[in-house]
Amino acid sequence: KSTCAAFGPDGRMHDLMYAQGPEFDSGSIFAFARYTEDEFYVVASNFSPEKKKITVTLPSCLTSEDAILPHKIEMTCPARDFSIQKLK
């Protein structure tokens, strides 16, 4: 049974948009993290009619406390859909 906030009340949510650089298509993509002490997910929603390959930057407030988490991750989002990547 998962304890991630995406599946229950025990976790946290972190908006990742402020950490993205100017090359990130913020007009079409929205990214956020859902996590607990044991699980960490990055979710990216694509509102574009085209598939997007994106690089999501995780802010240092999330990565500095957890050495397992990368600073950047690559994701592919289908057109008008979302992708979820489990990092731990």
Side-chain angles (χ1 to χ4, degrees):
K1 179 181 169 190
S2 176
T3 58
C4 180
F7 309 107
D10 301 324
R12 293 186 221 151
M13 183 266 205
H14 193 97
D15 182 344
L16 299 175
M17 296 305 293
Y18 74 92
Q20 307 315 305
E23 69 286 346
F24 191 85
D25 184 3
S26 61
S28 298
I29 304 290
F30 180 74
F32 63 96
R34 295 295 301 241
Y35 60 96
T36 66
E37 206 173 290
D38 301 321
E39 295 179 292
F40 194 100
Y41 297 85
V42 173
V43 181
S45 298
N46 180 8
F47 297 94
S48 167
E50 300 172 1
K51 178 171 84 171
K52 300 268 185 175
K53 290 186 178 187
I54 60 171
T55 300
V56 178
T57 301
L58 298 180
S60 60
C61 65
L62 294 176
T63 59
S64 63
E65 294 180 16
D66 195 330
I68 294 173
L69 298 177
H71 181 63
K72 293 183 182 266
I73 62 166
E74 303 289 325
M75 298 178 76
T76 300
C77 295
R80 294 190 175 110
D81 206 348
F82 64 93
S83 290
I84 300 173
Q85 189 163 341
K86 184 175 183 175
L87 301 182
K88 75 173 194 175

